[in-house]
Short mmCIF file of all heavy atoms in Angstrom, two decimals:
data_model
loop_
_atom_site.label_atom_id
_atom_site.label_comp_id
_atom_site.label_asym_id
_atom_site.label_seq_id
_atom_site.Cartn_x
_atom_site.Cartn_y
_atom_site.Cartn_z
N LEU X 909 90.41 36.56 78.40
CA LEU X 909 90.92 35.33 79.02
C LEU X 909 89.81 34.29 79.14
O LEU X 909 89.99 33.09 78.84
CB LEU X 909 91.51 35.64 80.39
CG LEU X 909 92.04 34.43 81.20
CD1 LEU X 909 93.15 33.71 80.44
CD2 LEU X 909 92.53 34.89 82.56
N VAL X 910 88.61 34.74 79.57
CA VAL X 910 87.48 33.81 79.70
C VAL X 910 87.12 33.22 78.35
O VAL X 910 86.85 32.00 78.21
CB VAL X 910 86.28 34.55 80.33
CG1 VAL X 910 85.02 33.66 80.28
CG2 VAL X 910 86.56 34.94 81.76
N LEU X 911 87.09 34.02 77.30
CA LEU X 911 86.74 33.55 75.96
C LEU X 911 87.75 32.53 75.45
O LEU X 911 87.40 31.52 74.82
CB LEU X 911 86.63 34.72 74.99
CG LEU X 911 85.45 35.69 75.23
CD1 LEU X 911 85.52 36.87 74.27
CD2 LEU X 911 84.12 34.94 75.07
N LEU X 912 89.04 32.80 75.70
CA LEU X 912 90.08 31.89 75.24
C LEU X 912 89.99 30.54 75.95
O LEU X 912 90.13 29.46 75.33
CB LEU X 912 91.46 32.52 75.47
CG LEU X 912 91.82 33.71 74.55
CD1 LEU X 912 93.13 34.35 74.98
CD2 LEU X 912 91.88 33.26 73.10
N ILE X 913 89.73 30.56 77.26
CA ILE X 913 89.61 29.30 78.01
C ILE X 913 88.39 28.53 77.53
O ILE X 913 88.40 27.29 77.37
CB ILE X 913 89.54 29.57 79.53
CG1 ILE X 913 90.89 30.15 80.01
CG2 ILE X 913 89.20 28.30 80.29
CD1 ILE X 913 90.88 30.59 81.44
N ALA X 914 87.30 29.28 77.29
CA ALA X 914 86.07 28.63 76.82
C ALA X 914 86.29 27.98 75.45
O ALA X 914 85.78 26.90 75.16
CB ALA X 914 84.94 29.64 76.77
N SER X 915 87.06 28.65 74.58
CA SER X 915 87.31 28.10 73.24
C SER X 915 88.14 26.81 73.29
O SER X 915 88.05 25.96 72.41
CB SER X 915 87.99 29.14 72.36
OG SER X 915 89.26 29.48 72.90
N LEU X 916 88.97 26.68 74.32
CA LEU X 916 89.77 25.46 74.47
C LEU X 916 88.89 24.25 74.75
O LEU X 916 89.25 23.09 74.49
CB LEU X 916 90.80 25.62 75.59
CG LEU X 916 92.00 26.55 75.27
CD1 LEU X 916 92.86 26.76 76.50
CD2 LEU X 916 92.83 25.95 74.13
N LEU X 917 87.70 24.48 75.32
CA LEU X 917 86.79 23.40 75.64
C LEU X 917 85.99 22.93 74.43
O LEU X 917 85.32 21.90 74.49
CB LEU X 917 85.83 23.83 76.77
CG LEU X 917 86.51 24.22 78.11
CD1 LEU X 917 85.47 24.72 79.09
CD2 LEU X 917 87.26 23.01 78.68
N VAL X 918 86.02 23.73 73.37
CA VAL X 918 85.28 23.36 72.15
C VAL X 918 86.13 22.37 71.35
O VAL X 918 87.28 22.67 71.01
CB VAL X 918 84.96 24.61 71.30
CG1 VAL X 918 84.23 24.21 70.02
CG2 VAL X 918 84.12 25.59 72.12
N PRO X 919 85.59 21.14 70.99
CA PRO X 919 86.37 20.14 70.26
C PRO X 919 86.83 20.63 68.88
O PRO X 919 87.91 20.29 68.41
CB PRO X 919 85.40 18.96 70.11
CG PRO X 919 84.42 19.13 71.22
CD PRO X 919 84.27 20.60 71.43
N ALA X 920 86.04 21.49 68.25
CA ALA X 920 86.41 21.94 66.91
C ALA X 920 87.65 22.80 66.91
O ALA X 920 88.30 23.03 65.88
CB ALA X 920 85.24 22.72 66.29
N ALA X 921 88.03 23.34 68.12
CA ALA X 921 89.20 24.22 68.20
C ALA X 921 90.47 23.46 68.52
O ALA X 921 91.50 24.05 68.80
CB ALA X 921 88.97 25.28 69.27
N ALA X 922 90.43 22.13 68.44
CA ALA X 922 91.60 21.31 68.76
C ALA X 922 92.80 21.61 67.88
O ALA X 922 93.94 21.67 68.36
CB ALA X 922 91.23 19.84 68.69
N PRO X 923 92.61 21.86 66.56
CA PRO X 923 93.81 22.12 65.72
C PRO X 923 94.56 23.39 66.15
O PRO X 923 95.76 23.51 65.94
CB PRO X 923 93.23 22.29 64.32
CG PRO X 923 91.94 21.55 64.36
CD PRO X 923 91.41 21.73 65.75
N VAL X 924 93.86 24.34 66.73
CA VAL X 924 94.53 25.59 67.12
C VAL X 924 94.61 25.72 68.63
O VAL X 924 94.72 26.81 69.17
CB VAL X 924 93.79 26.81 66.52
CG1 VAL X 924 93.95 26.85 65.02
CG2 VAL X 924 92.31 26.77 66.93
N SER X 925 94.53 24.61 69.33
CA SER X 925 94.53 24.65 70.80
C SER X 925 95.83 25.21 71.36
O SER X 925 95.85 25.92 72.37
CB SER X 925 94.28 23.24 71.35
OG SER X 925 95.31 22.36 70.91
N GLN X 926 96.94 24.89 70.64
CA GLN X 926 98.23 25.41 71.13
C GLN X 926 98.26 26.93 71.04
O GLN X 926 98.71 27.62 71.96
CB GLN X 926 99.36 24.80 70.32
CG GLN X 926 100.74 25.17 70.87
CD GLN X 926 101.87 24.48 70.10
OE1 GLN X 926 101.63 23.76 69.13
NE2 GLN X 926 103.09 24.69 70.55
N LEU X 927 97.74 27.46 69.92
CA LEU X 927 97.72 28.91 69.73
C LEU X 927 96.80 29.58 70.74
O LEU X 927 97.11 30.62 71.31
CB LEU X 927 97.28 29.22 68.29
CG LEU X 927 97.23 30.70 67.91
CD1 LEU X 927 98.63 31.32 68.01
CD2 LEU X 927 96.70 30.88 66.50
N LEU X 928 95.64 28.92 70.99
CA LEU X 928 94.70 29.48 71.97
C LEU X 928 95.29 29.46 73.37
O LEU X 928 95.04 30.37 74.18
CB LEU X 928 93.38 28.72 71.93
CG LEU X 928 92.56 28.87 70.63
CD1 LEU X 928 91.35 27.94 70.67
CD2 LEU X 928 92.09 30.32 70.46
N THR X 929 96.06 28.41 73.66
CA THR X 929 96.69 28.32 74.99
C THR X 929 97.67 29.47 75.21
O THR X 929 97.73 30.09 76.28
CB THR X 929 97.41 26.98 75.13
OG1 THR X 929 96.46 25.91 74.93
CG2 THR X 929 98.02 26.83 76.52
N ILE X 930 98.47 29.76 74.16
CA ILE X 930 99.43 30.88 74.27
C ILE X 930 98.70 32.20 74.46
O ILE X 930 99.07 33.05 75.29
CB ILE X 930 100.33 30.93 73.02
CG1 ILE X 930 101.19 29.65 72.96
CG2 ILE X 930 101.19 32.19 73.02
CD1 ILE X 930 101.98 29.52 71.68
N ALA X 931 97.61 32.39 73.69
CA ALA X 931 96.84 33.64 73.82
C ALA X 931 96.22 33.76 75.20
O ALA X 931 96.19 34.83 75.81
CB ALA X 931 95.76 33.69 72.74
N ALA X 932 95.74 32.60 75.73
CA ALA X 932 95.16 32.62 77.07
C ALA X 932 96.22 32.95 78.11
O ALA X 932 95.95 33.66 79.10
CB ALA X 932 94.51 31.27 77.37
N LEU X 933 97.43 32.44 77.91
CA LEU X 933 98.52 32.73 78.83
C LEU X 933 98.86 34.23 78.82
O LEU X 933 99.07 34.84 79.87
CB LEU X 933 99.75 31.89 78.46
CG LEU X 933 100.97 32.08 79.36
CD1 LEU X 933 100.65 31.69 80.81
CD2 LEU X 933 102.15 31.24 78.85
N VAL X 934 98.89 34.80 77.61
CA VAL X 934 99.19 36.25 77.51
C VAL X 934 98.10 37.06 78.20
O VAL X 934 98.36 38.03 78.92
CB VAL X 934 99.32 36.65 76.02
CG1 VAL X 934 99.41 38.18 75.89
CG2 VAL X 934 100.53 36.00 75.41
N ALA X 935 96.83 36.64 77.99
CA ALA X 935 95.73 37.35 78.63
C ALA X 935 95.80 37.23 80.14
O ALA X 935 95.54 38.19 80.88
CB ALA X 935 94.39 36.83 78.11
N ALA X 936 96.19 36.03 80.63
CA ALA X 936 96.30 35.83 82.08
C ALA X 936 97.41 36.70 82.65
O ALA X 936 97.27 37.28 83.74
CB ALA X 936 96.55 34.36 82.36
N LEU X 937 98.53 36.79 81.93
CA LEU X 937 99.63 37.65 82.41
C LEU X 937 99.20 39.12 82.44
O LEU X 937 99.59 39.87 83.33
CB LEU X 937 100.86 37.46 81.50
CG LEU X 937 101.56 36.08 81.63
CD1 LEU X 937 102.68 35.97 80.59
CD2 LEU X 937 102.13 35.89 83.03
N SER X 938 98.40 39.49 81.44
CA SER X 938 97.92 40.88 81.42
C SER X 938 97.06 41.19 82.62
O SER X 938 97.17 42.23 83.28
CB SER X 938 97.14 41.15 80.12
OG SER X 938 97.97 40.96 79.00
N VAL X 939 96.16 40.22 82.92
CA VAL X 939 95.29 40.42 84.10
C VAL X 939 96.12 40.50 85.36
O VAL X 939 95.89 41.31 86.26
CB VAL X 939 94.26 39.30 84.18
CG1 VAL X 939 93.46 39.39 85.49
CG2 VAL X 939 93.32 39.34 82.99
N LEU X 940 97.14 39.62 85.46
CA LEU X 940 98.00 39.62 86.63
C LEU X 940 98.76 40.93 86.77
O LEU X 940 98.88 41.51 87.85
CB LEU X 940 98.98 38.43 86.53
CG LEU X 940 99.91 38.22 87.73
CD1 LEU X 940 99.10 37.91 89.00
CD2 LEU X 940 100.89 37.08 87.46
N ALA X 941 99.29 41.44 85.65
CA ALA X 941 100.05 42.70 85.68
C ALA X 941 99.18 43.86 86.11
O ALA X 941 99.55 44.70 86.94
CB ALA X 941 100.66 42.97 84.31
N PHE X 942 97.94 43.90 85.56
CA PHE X 942 97.04 44.98 85.94
C PHE X 942 96.63 44.92 87.39
O PHE X 942 96.41 45.93 88.04
CB PHE X 942 95.79 44.96 85.06
CG PHE X 942 95.98 45.68 83.74
CD1 PHE X 942 95.93 44.97 82.54
CD2 PHE X 942 96.21 47.05 83.70
CE1 PHE X 942 96.10 45.62 81.34
CE2 PHE X 942 96.38 47.70 82.48
CZ PHE X 942 96.34 46.99 81.29
N SER X 943 96.56 43.67 87.93
CA SER X 943 96.18 43.54 89.33
C SER X 943 97.25 44.07 90.26
O SER X 943 96.96 44.57 91.35
CB SER X 943 95.88 42.07 89.65
OG SER X 943 97.07 41.30 89.53
N PHE X 944 98.54 43.96 89.87
CA PHE X 944 99.63 44.52 90.68
C PHE X 944 99.71 46.03 90.54
O PHE X 944 99.94 46.75 91.49
CB PHE X 944 100.96 43.87 90.29
CG PHE X 944 101.19 42.52 90.92
CD1 PHE X 944 101.15 41.36 90.16
CD2 PHE X 944 101.42 42.40 92.29
CE1 PHE X 944 101.35 40.11 90.73
CE2 PHE X 944 101.62 41.16 92.87
CZ PHE X 944 101.58 40.00 92.09
N VAL X 945 99.56 46.45 89.32
CA VAL X 945 99.70 47.90 89.08
C VAL X 945 98.52 48.65 89.69
O VAL X 945 98.65 49.71 90.29
CB VAL X 945 99.81 48.18 87.57
CG1 VAL X 945 99.78 49.68 87.31
CG2 VAL X 945 101.07 47.57 87.03
N GLY X 946 97.34 48.05 89.60
CA GLY X 946 96.15 48.70 90.11
C GLY X 946 95.66 49.75 89.14
O GLY X 946 96.12 49.85 88.01
N LYS X 947 94.75 50.49 89.60
CA LYS X 947 94.18 51.54 88.76
C LYS X 947 95.20 52.63 88.50
O LYS X 947 96.01 52.95 89.36
CB LYS X 947 92.94 52.14 89.41
CG LYS X 947 91.78 51.16 89.53
CD LYS X 947 90.58 51.86 90.11
CE LYS X 947 89.41 50.92 90.22
NZ LYS X 947 88.22 51.58 90.79
N ALA X 948 95.13 53.15 87.33
CA ALA X 948 96.01 54.28 87.01
C ALA X 948 95.62 55.46 87.89
O ALA X 948 94.45 55.71 88.13
CB ALA X 948 95.87 54.66 85.53
N PRO X 949 96.65 56.13 88.42
CA PRO X 949 96.33 57.25 89.31
C PRO X 949 95.55 58.33 88.59
O PRO X 949 95.90 58.72 87.48
CB PRO X 949 97.71 57.77 89.75
CG PRO X 949 98.64 57.30 88.69
CD PRO X 949 98.09 56.01 88.18
N GLU X 950 94.49 58.71 89.21
CA GLU X 950 93.68 59.77 88.63
C GLU X 950 94.43 61.10 88.77
O GLU X 950 95.14 61.33 89.75
CB GLU X 950 92.34 59.86 89.35
CG GLU X 950 91.49 58.61 89.18
CD GLU X 950 90.17 58.76 89.88
OE1 GLU X 950 89.95 59.84 90.49
OE2 GLU X 950 89.36 57.82 89.83
N PRO X 951 94.28 61.92 87.77
CA PRO X 951 94.96 63.22 87.86
C PRO X 951 94.50 63.99 89.09
O PRO X 951 93.32 63.97 89.44
CB PRO X 951 94.56 63.93 86.56
CG PRO X 951 93.31 63.24 86.11
CD PRO X 951 93.44 61.82 86.56
N ALA X 952 95.46 64.59 89.74
CA ALA X 952 95.13 65.35 90.94
C ALA X 952 94.20 66.50 90.60
O ALA X 952 94.38 67.18 89.59
CB ALA X 952 96.41 65.91 91.57
N PRO X 953 93.19 66.67 91.40
CA PRO X 953 92.25 67.77 91.10
C PRO X 953 92.97 69.11 91.23
O PRO X 953 93.83 69.31 92.07
CB PRO X 953 91.17 67.61 92.19
CG PRO X 953 91.85 66.88 93.30
CD PRO X 953 92.85 65.97 92.65
N GLU X 954 92.62 69.98 90.33
CA GLU X 954 93.21 71.31 90.37
C GLU X 954 92.79 72.02 91.65
O GLU X 954 91.65 71.88 92.09
CB GLU X 954 92.76 72.12 89.16
CG GLU X 954 93.25 71.55 87.84
CD GLU X 954 92.85 72.43 86.67
OE1 GLU X 954 92.22 73.48 86.94
OE2 GLU X 954 93.15 72.08 85.53
N PRO X 955 93.73 72.71 92.27
CA PRO X 955 93.36 73.41 93.51
C PRO X 955 92.28 74.44 93.24
O PRO X 955 92.27 75.10 92.21
CB PRO X 955 94.68 74.08 93.95
CG PRO X 955 95.50 74.16 92.71
CD PRO X 955 95.11 72.97 91.87
N ALA X 956 91.37 74.48 94.18
CA ALA X 956 90.29 75.44 94.04
C ALA X 956 90.86 76.85 94.05
O ALA X 956 91.78 77.16 94.82
CB ALA X 956 89.29 75.27 95.18
N PRO X 957 90.38 77.69 93.17
CA PRO X 957 90.91 79.07 93.15
C PRO X 957 90.65 79.77 94.46
O PRO X 957 89.58 79.62 95.07
CB PRO X 957 90.15 79.72 91.99
CG PRO X 957 88.91 78.90 91.84
CD PRO X 957 89.30 77.49 92.22
N LYS X 958 91.68 80.48 94.91
CA LYS X 958 91.53 81.22 96.16
C LYS X 958 90.50 82.33 95.98
O LYS X 958 90.46 82.97 94.94
CB LYS X 958 92.87 81.82 96.58
CG LYS X 958 93.91 80.78 96.92
CD LYS X 958 95.21 81.44 97.35
CE LYS X 958 96.25 80.39 97.72
NZ LYS X 958 97.52 81.01 98.14
N PRO X 959 89.67 82.49 97.00
CA PRO X 959 88.68 83.57 96.86
C PRO X 959 89.38 84.91 96.76
O PRO X 959 90.36 85.19 97.45
CB PRO X 959 87.86 83.46 98.16
CG PRO X 959 88.76 82.74 99.12
CD PRO X 959 89.59 81.81 98.28
N VAL X 960 88.91 85.70 95.85
CA VAL X 960 89.48 87.02 95.64
C VAL X 960 88.96 87.95 96.72
O VAL X 960 87.75 88.15 96.86
CB VAL X 960 89.12 87.56 94.24
CG1 VAL X 960 89.70 88.96 94.06
CG2 VAL X 960 89.65 86.60 93.17
N VAL X 961 89.87 88.44 97.52
CA VAL X 961 89.51 89.36 98.59
C VAL X 961 89.78 90.77 98.10
O VAL X 961 90.92 91.12 97.75
CB VAL X 961 90.32 89.08 99.87
CG1 VAL X 961 89.93 90.07 100.96
CG2 VAL X 961 90.10 87.65 100.32
N ALA X 962 88.78 91.54 98.03
CA ALA X 962 88.94 92.92 97.56
C ALA X 962 89.73 93.71 98.58
O ALA X 962 89.41 93.71 99.77
CB ALA X 962 87.56 93.55 97.33
N GLU X 963 90.80 94.32 98.11
CA GLU X 963 91.61 95.14 99.00
C GLU X 963 90.86 96.43 99.34
O GLU X 963 90.13 96.98 98.51
CB GLU X 963 92.95 95.49 98.34
CG GLU X 963 93.83 94.27 98.10
CD GLU X 963 95.17 94.66 97.52
OE1 GLU X 963 95.38 95.87 97.31
OE2 GLU X 963 96.00 93.77 97.27
N ALA X 964 91.07 96.83 100.56
CA ALA X 964 90.43 98.08 100.98
C ALA X 964 90.99 99.23 100.16
O ALA X 964 92.20 99.38 100.02
CB ALA X 964 90.67 98.32 102.47
N VAL X 965 90.12 99.97 99.60
CA VAL X 965 90.54 101.10 98.77
C VAL X 965 90.92 102.24 99.69
O VAL X 965 90.10 102.73 100.48
CB VAL X 965 89.40 101.53 97.82
CG1 VAL X 965 89.84 102.73 96.99
CG2 VAL X 965 89.00 100.37 96.93
#
Side-chain angles (χ1 to χ4, degrees):
L909 178 60
V910 171
L911 292 176
L912 289 173
I913 294 174
S915 63
L916 287 173
L917 299 176
V918 178
V924 291
S925 61
Q926 186 177 2
L927 181 62
L928 293 174
T929 302
I930 296 173
L933 181 61
V934 171
L937 290 175
S938 299
V939 173
L940 183 62
F942 276 115
S943 65
F944 279 109
V945 173
K947 294 183 179 180
E950 296 181 0
E954 296 183 2
K958 295 181 179 179
V960 178
V961 179
E963 295 184 0
V965 179

